[in-house]
Amino acid sequence: MEKEKFGSINKTFNYTPNSVFTNQWSSLAFGIGMVVVPLIYPFGLRIRRVHILSPTVLSTILVIGGILLLWFTLQSMRKAKALIAQGGTIKVEGNRVTYPSIEKGKVEYRSFLISDIEYIKDDEDENQCKVSLPDKYVIFEIKYFDSYDEFEEFRAILG
């Protein structure tokens, strides 16, 4: 019965972002703002007359947070750059899904069986689909599909 369910599926999805900056502008702006504003105009946190955080402490927290946000954004942009340069596709052939994974700036293809999926979590805030497998998680960025309809079709195949 399971062989019939997956036997006829044979579909390829383009998994390449349009630009390195796809959905990255706000993260870049917030990261730069979190670093630059406290360095130019340090400010503290107080409630009425009680100082909760001094300007030095709050500025340090904001700068470290901004640097981390910029680092994560840079990593996402490097992944997008590799996918644009080398192309990326997701292939569904029967019960097997083959997807691109970025390792050291190069696209390597990995695969898993649809029947091995433990659960799928759709995170609309992050525009991601997280697939839980017995030994790992695979995250698919919705923004890398050609359209939301293609993502929905892919998501329907996964179950």
Side-chain angles (χ1 to χ4, degrees):
M1 192 79 166
E2 189 173 310
K3 212 172 201 180
E4 291 176 14
K5 181 179 176 185
F6 297 114
S8 63
I9 300 174
N10 192 6
K11 181 80 176 163
T12 301
F13 300 95
N14 187 25
Y15 191 69
T16 305
N18 295 329
S19 167
V20 175
F21 295 104
T22 301
N23 294 345
Q24 299 300 332
W25 290 111
S26 61
S27 295
L28 286 171
F30 281 120
I32 291 169
M34 287 175 66
V35 171
V36 172
V37 171
L39 292 177
I40 293 174
Y41 181 74
F43 56 93
L45 179 64
R46 69 180 194 179
I47 299 175
R48 298 185 191 219
R49 295 185 181 205
V50 178
H51 288 280
I52 306 297
L53 292 174
S54 70
T56 305
V57 172
L58 185 59
S59 295
T60 303
I61 292 170
L62 288 173
V63 168
I64 290 171
I67 290 171
L68 285 173
L69 180 59
L70 288 172
W71 186 78
F72 287 125
T73 303
L74 176 66
Q75 295 302 318
S76 179
M77 291 171 71
R78 290 178 68 204
K79 177 182 175 182
K81 183 179 178 184
L83 283 171
I84 290 170
Q86 300 175 23
T89 58
I90 297 174
K91 294 181 183 178
V92 180
E93 297 167 326
N95 190 27
R96 181 168 299 281
V97 176
T98 305
Y99 64 95
S101 176
I102 307 301
E103 297 295 327
K104 299 180 183 177
K106 294 187 178 185
V107 176
E108 294 181 5
Y109 284 90
R110 306 218 166 142
S111 64
F112 63 88
L113 298 176
I114 294 174
S115 58
D116 288 344
I117 296 174
E118 293 177 349
Y119 68 88
I120 300 172
K121 179 183 176 194
D122 293 317
D123 189 350
E124 292 183 17
D125 293 335
E126 296 290 326
N127 289 322
Q128 296 176 340
C129 174
K130 188 177 196 179
V131 177
S132 176
L133 300 169
D135 58 342
K136 64 183 171 186
Y137 292 102
V138 180
I139 298 175
F140 295 103
E141 302 279 341
I142 297 172
K143 61 190 174 192
Y144 290 175
F145 285 88
D146 284 341
S147 67
Y148 190 75
D149 291 336
E150 283 220 356
F151 166 73
E152 285 294 321
E153 184 179 353
F154 172 71
R155 179 64 180 80
I157 291 172
L158 293 182

